[in-house]
Amino acid sequence: MKPLESIYSFPEFLEIQEAREEQELRNARISCQNKLLEMKNETNPEVWMSWVNRMHDEIAQQAAVLCEIKLSEAGFGQPPARYAFVAFGSSGRQEATLWSDQDNGLIIGDELEEGDAGYFLKFGVSLSNLLEFAGYPKCAGKVMCSEPKWRLSLTEWKKQLTDWSSDVAWEPIRHFIIASDMRHIAGSVDLSSAWEIHFRSCVQQQPGMVPALLRNTVHHKATLNVMGRIVTERFGEHAGDFDVKYGMYIPLVNSIRTMALQRGITDTSSMKRIERIIQLEGGGLLLENVQRALIYALRMRIETPFRIRDGLVESSGYLLKEQLKNKKVQYELRDALGVVRRIHRSLQRELRFIDRSGL
């Protein structure tokens, strides 16, 4: 097993950094992805996933550079203000798979003059399109820098975060939850830091947001029936298969995130969040089981079958019914899903107590 530092000695990563055209970036991603796939079975899963996410960061950083060059060559000049390119979703949590889609945004410096706003519209669309070409499908929920809601000046972002945190309706809270996974990728670190400071102040100033966070968290698809058996897809092309992402991983991520926000924990990684929660709470069997289940969920995410199309990795994110016939897989999956059910019941009890108390 190679140490993490040696990743920079891989020519595939240097190839990403040196890409000067869109096709070169795509080719570099394919080379790096294939190298990582070769190493997968010989590498600790947690270390391997950290390498995968480092690849994503390198590609995103170089994509921003290429978009600046492209706009300059098209006659739009240099960026008229500072900007920060940031990640949300699994990339923000540094838990993305090789086949993860886009979840990103832009924070633009307030020094931007009104007449120059069109630059970042072009930049955001160009960057999202380039990332799609480089192997990152566009987000179905449109959490991307090409979308106005996720491409704002710092002042506009602050207002939007304040509005989301002070409105306990489902949609604003969902957006605020998405925003909580923000992580800086490229550009001005100062802008990302100012954004983070304001986000934390929103959490501190809106204690009434906790019930809304809990309501968003405790809704998820049933994954164990009353007999404790695994619930698989009933219809469609994945009938009999198990949805690892939405059946196990996302419910755990959502629970851990909510508990972290309640405690003012600012880490974005799910693993770091649960570690901090355990530290603050002094341990506890349920929390330790949640940590163990998260490790299992992350591992199973990278074990789902995949295919290569046009050189790029694709996966449905499902464990196939053939895999579920394995007794060890059944046992471990059922055990992890039992933890999901227990943490959700714990959060439901907390929500009921808050509702009864009128807090």
Side-chain angles (χ1 to χ4, degrees), residues 7-18 27-36 38-39 55 58-59:
I7 201 161
Y8 288 106
S9 67
F10 294 173
E12 293 82 7
F13 280 77
L14 295 174
E15 190 180 343
I16 292 170
Q17 296 167 6
E18 294 170 356
N27 292 344
R29 184 245 161 84
I30 291 172
S31 295
C32 191
Q33 154 203 292
N34 292 343
K35 178 68 173 180
L36 288 166
E38 288 174 11
M39 299 167 56
M55 180 193 76
E58 295 282 357
I59 291 170

Side-chain angles (χ1 to χ4, degrees), residues 38-276:
E38 288 174 11
M39 299 167 56
K40 182 171 175 288
N41 294 331
E42 301 174 357
T43 309
N44 174 281
E46 286 77 20
V47 172
W48 188 79
M49 179 170 282
S50 73
W51 290 1
V52 168
N53 281 270
R54 185 68 198 191
M55 180 193 76
H56 294 324
D57 284 0
E58 295 282 357
I59 291 170
Q61 289 161 9
Q62 194 60 20
V65 170
L66 293 183
C67 284
E68 285 192 33
I69 294 171
K70 179 180 178 181
L71 289 183
S72 178
E73 290 176 345
F76 295 102
Q78 297 300 307
R82 296 169 301 151
Y83 72 88
F85 180 47
V86 298
F88 300 105
S90 60
S91 236
R93 298 187 299 273
Q94 293 182 288
E95 296 162 6
T97 62
L98 278 177
W99 45 84
S100 290
D101 61 3
Q102 294 185 47
D103 284 289
N104 52 56
L106 281 178
I107 308 166
I108 303 163
D110 287 329
E111 68 272 16
L112 180 71
E113 296 183 3
E114 188 174 343
D116 293 326
Y119 178 93
F120 285 106
L121 188 157
K122 294 181 179 67
F123 184 83
V125 171
S126 177
L127 185 49
S128 182
N129 288 340
L130 174 51
L131 288 171
E132 181 182 35
F133 182 70
Y136 301 89
K138 291 187 175 178
C139 173
K142 297 187 176 182
V143 181
M144 296 178 292
C145 59
S146 56
E147 301 298 317
K149 186 180 295 182
W150 302 96
R151 185 190 68 246
L152 296 170
S153 71
L154 178 60
T155 294
E156 290 169 334
W157 261 116
K158 288 179 177 179
K159 181 181 184 305
Q160 181 163 265
L161 290 172
T162 299
D163 290 345
W164 285 346
S165 65
S166 58
D167 187 341
V168 297
W170 181 273
E171 193 72 3
I173 290 296
R174 186 178 72 85
H175 287 141
F176 192 78
I177 288 171
I178 292 170
S180 69
D181 291 333
M182 190 281 279
R183 185 171 63 87
H184 179 82
I185 299 295
S188 170
V189 175
D190 289 343
L191 287 174
S192 294
S193 297
W195 188 104
E196 289 174 344
I197 290 169
H198 186 76
F199 181 89
R200 288 196 294 271
S201 74
C202 288
V203 174
Q204 295 165 357
Q205 294 170 16
Q206 297 292 343
M209 184 172 51
V210 170
L213 289 172
L214 288 167
R215 289 188 185 95
N216 270 262
T217 301
V218 297
H219 287 275
H220 69 102
K221 63 195 296 184
T223 50
L224 288 176
N225 64 20
V226 292
M227 303 296 292
R229 293 175 180 162
I230 299 166
V231 176
T232 57
E233 297 297 307
R234 295 182 60 192
F235 307 106
E237 62 176 313
H238 291 294
D241 300 341
F242 180 79
D243 186 347
V244 173
K245 180 177 180 180
Y246 290 103
M248 176 171 54
Y249 169 68
I250 290 297
L252 283 168
V253 165
N254 289 346
S255 298
I256 293 167
R257 184 199 292 113
T258 292
M259 290 188 291
L261 287 172
Q262 286 177 288
R263 292 159 176 79
I265 294 169
T266 58
D267 296 286
T268 58
S269 156
S270 298
M271 189 55 64
K272 289 179 181 177
R273 283 168 170 167
I274 189 62
E275 287 171 356
R276 290 277 292 115

